[in-house]
Amino acid sequence: MPDKEESKSDIAKTSRRTVKRVLVPVLSVGVGQRLLDVAELLDPDPGLRLVFTAVPSTTANGVGGLLRAAGVAALAWDEAVGLRRDLVITSSHDHPRGFDTPTVVIPDPCGRRRPPRRPHADRQAPQVLDARVAGRGTRSGRTPVLRLAAHSDDVRTPDTPAGDLPDPVAVVGDLTFDRLLLSRRHRDTYRAALRVDPHHRLVVVVSTWGAASLISREPELLHRLAVELPEERYRVAVLLHPAAWFSQDVHHLNAWMTTARTTSVQIVDPFTQWRPVVAGADLVIGAHGSIALYSTGMGLPVLLADPKPVRTTSSRSPHATSPLAGAPQLRRGTPLPDQLDAAENWHTGRIRHRAARHVTSAPGQAGRLTLAAIYRMLDLTPPGPAPMLTPVRAPRRMI
């Protein structure tokens, strides 16, 4: 990761003979948080130089602020894509060969799990590679692209033209989940940074964006939380998806937040990492998605706030059925303390175990396997010992 004091000219003048340059295009704040995790694995290697840049798009609003907060020097898009590069690390599954450079596509968040397609007779299934073995595994004459997956169920037959060879896939586990599990041990540190006393129960409310989001469907929920949950026992933190903060409707959001904040209900700002907030929580309220699945897998009760019941897929895999199917649903006519208690009673060790298996099929191995996959695409051997994951930093900004 480039040092925050490093100038743009320093990046551009890096010696080609001694350093491999890796381009990291960032499409959004949420994507940037996951790419920064990957970059942290590569930080110890002085032979790599990472060049971050925001992709020109409306979804990239806020990316500059995220990278500055992380201490990362970024280049403008036109300057960055004009540099010689040895590898691209991206989150985009669309047209990765547009860079004409070997590319690693990081896994989607776990909430986007889709059932595997059955390959047509004239189409081939993706080749599943061992990331630790040398060689790119891509047909000669084709720009190498390696797609990473968190779970073996994420290896899908893509919509490739008949007779074309799909990109190879390496199952590397879920880096976000592995770091969450590690960070959960530092729960007291995060709660202290969030100004949550030991006797308080921290309830984290998670909302996406748009008309179907929780804050749009249940605008009175935060008022209910403030009124129904005794201040001497509860604290509430609201995590909004970055896309909500940087959308065209942000002025409506700001007006809503002004009236929603109370002593016990606070809104987490967009550049505060969501993971230390969840790692310090006692319970999560939110729609079925990545954070709800991660929370369940790390041992947190979840109260679902979905407009429709959680659906299962048609895949025969034992991990295809969501572990949240059957979880308590948020109701308007039932006192909130009773609903939180019901969520805690529903959550069991068996459900936690099912959720963890649903998220990753390589538990605890994401750092090592992700690094191996990246160095495979660089035609290099990873230097030194296997990387050690670190807990996420305590939030710099307070709720």
Side-chain angles (χ1 to χ4, degrees):
M1 189 183 301
D3 187 82
K4 60 183 176 182
E5 300 297 330
E6 185 178 25
S7 69
K8 295 179 180 180
S9 60
D10 289 334
I11 296 175
K13 294 177 181 178
T14 299
S15 169
R16 297 186 179 187
R17 292 175 297 176
T18 60
V19 173
K20 295 275 190 177
R21 186 179 286 120
V22 180
L23 177 65
V24 186
V26 183
L27 188 63
S28 67
V29 171
V31 165
Q33 291 173 341
R34 292 188 291 124
L35 287 168
L36 287 169
D37 269 357
V38 176
E40 188 170 316
L41 296 175
L42 303 172
D43 279 348
D45 188 350
L48 297 182
R49 184 63 51 87
L50 272 62
V51 179
F52 280 81
T53 184
V55 178
S57 168
T58 55
T59 64
N61 292 338
V63 168
L66 170 74
L67 297 179
R68 285 192 296 273
V72 173
L75 292 185
W77 172 259
D78 290 341
E79 187 176 0
V81 298
L83 293 176
R84 177 198 60 81
R85 53 189 179 265
D86 301 284
L87 184 71
V88 174
I89 301 177
T90 179
S91 65
S92 176
H93 288 264
D94 299 325
H95 313 296
R97 287 186 178 78
F99 293 106
D100 194 28
T101 304
T103 300
V104 172
V105 183
I106 66 173
D108 287 330
C110 69
R112 296 183 185 177
R113 172 79 33 80
R114 295 170 292 176
R117 294 193 186 103
R118 293 182 179 179
H120 295 283
D122 54 355
R123 292 194 177 118
Q124 297 186 51
Q127 179 187 9
V128 181
L129 301 179
D130 185 338
R132 297 163 294 185
V133 179
R136 290 170 174 168
T138 302
R139 187 170 54 190
S140 177
R142 191 182 189 194
T143 302
V145 174
L146 180 62
R147 300 179 187 271
L148 307 184
H151 200 287
S152 55
D153 282 0
D154 295 331
V155 180
R156 311 174 72 242
T157 301
D159 291 323
T160 53
D164 199 3
L165 183 67
D167 296 322
V169 177
V171 178
V172 299
D174 193 301
L175 194 58
T176 295
F177 187 59
D178 283 358
R179 291 195 75 188
L180 267 173
L181 290 179
L182 183 64
S183 300
R184 184 68 171 164
R185 305 171 191 172
H186 300 266
R187 177 175 181 270
D188 292 344
T189 300
Y190 303 138
R191 290 169 68 89
L194 295 168
R195 299 197 299 255
V196 177
D197 292 335
H199 64 275
H200 285 135
R201 296 174 72 189
L202 177 58
V203 177
V204 175
V205 179
V206 180
S207 178
T208 56
W209 74 98
S213 67
L214 177 58
I215 59 171
S216 297
R217 291 185 290 103
E218 303 280 351
E220 75 285 356
L221 174 60
L222 296 192
H223 177 72
R224 285 188 63 196
L225 289 165
V227 170
E228 296 184 33
L229 299 183
E231 183 178 318
E232 64 273 12
R233 188 182 177 196
Y234 290 93
R235 287 291 182 268
V236 178
V238 183
L239 285 170
L240 303 178
H241 193 282
W245 286 95
F246 302 110
S247 69
Q248 294 178 345
D249 296 327
V250 68
H251 58 288
H252 295 301
L253 180 63
N254 284 327
W256 173 81
M257 288 189 298
T258 299
T259 59
R261 283 191 175 94
T262 66
T263 301
S264 58
V265 179
Q266 294 294 314
I267 318 295
V268 182
D269 78 86
F271 298 125
T272 294
Q273 269 274 0
W274 63 268
R275 288 175 300 185
V277 180
V278 170
D282 293 290
L283 187 141
V284 171
I285 299 176
H288 183 274
S290 298
I291 293 182
L293 284 166
Y294 286 139
S295 299
T296 305
M298 64 188 289
L300 288 176
V302 171
L303 181 62
L304 284 184
D306 275 311
K308 298 179 181 178
V310 178
R311 293 181 295 179
T312 59
T313 72
S314 58
S315 170
R316 295 181 179 179
S317 165
H319 309 302
T321 301
S322 171
L324 293 179
Q329 291 277 340
L330 180 68
R331 292 180 172 83
R332 296 184 180 181
T334 305
L336 282 174
D338 293 345
Q339 296 191 60
L340 299 184
D341 290 341
E344 289 191 343
N345 292 333
W346 172 80
H347 190 277
T348 64
R350 183 177 62 85
I351 290 171
R352 179 193 61 76
H353 183 62
R354 281 189 56 209
R357 289 192 303 154
H358 184 89
V359 169
T360 175
S361 55
Q365 302 181 63
R368 177 175 59 87
L369 293 178
T370 300
L371 197 67
I374 292 171
Y375 277 91
R376 174 182 186 138
M377 293 298 285
L378 286 166
D379 279 338
L380 296 173
T381 301
M388 292 185 62
L389 292 186
T390 59
V392 293
R393 296 184 181 92
R396 296 179 182 176
R397 294 174 174 83
M398 305 303 159
I399 59 174

